[in-house]
Amino acid sequence: MAETDGLVALVVLQSPGGPPLDTELTAATLARHLPASGAFAAVQSELAAAGFTVHQPVGISFSIEGPASIFRRYFGVTPVKSADGGWSAAGQAELPLDGLPDHERAMVRAVVFEPPAELMGGDG
């Protein structure tokens, strides 16, 4: 993949009290997982300022896109092509959050590279 090609990752935001320990994330329990008011705007603004293309929220997440160099600079790990055609960093699909500013890390639950579409299943 050329440096100008975009890698895509899903940014999942945290509920203000952290993930509810007694509940799974389902449509019925989504309200307990919602981030604090203003969290989307704050995190999206920071990621856009870092150079990522930021997409609209869906549920408790939104996607970001950018070249490997931006992911490397912002998350402190080098994305590599996985055998399945997706991307990973340090052998994981989930990116480390320890390099994020404290105020942003408090709002982000996870940042995960999206798997290749052909691995997502479904008819098509």
Side-chain angles (χ1 to χ4, degrees):
M1 176 171 270
E3 182 59 26
T4 58
D5 290 344
L7 283 66
V8 177
L10 189 64
V11 179
V12 181
L13 296 189
Q14 184 73 271
S15 61
L21 300 176
D22 63 338
T23 190
E24 292 183 31
L25 179 58
T26 66
T29 65
L30 182 62
R32 291 203 252 175
H33 294 267
L34 292 175
S37 175
F40 277 113
V43 175
Q44 287 178 310
S45 176
E46 295 222 8
L47 291 168
F52 290 101
T53 299
V54 177
H55 300 279
Q56 291 299 311
V58 176
I60 62 170
S61 65
F62 62 91
S63 62
I64 57 173
E65 185 176 355
S69 61
I70 296 176
F71 280 92
R72 182 173 37 256
R73 183 175 64 246
Y74 202 76
F75 292 98
V77 292
T78 301
V80 295
K81 191 81 161 173
S82 301
D84 65 6
W87 291 89
S88 67
Q92 304 292 319
E94 191 168 332
L95 293 159
L97 303 179
D98 46 334
L100 299 180
D102 289 343
H103 64 278
E104 186 177 352
R105 190 175 41 223
M107 294 182 278
V108 175
R109 185 172 183 174
V111 179
V112 183
F113 283 119
E114 292 185 349
E118 56 272 10
L119 296 180
M120 299 284 286
D123 299 327

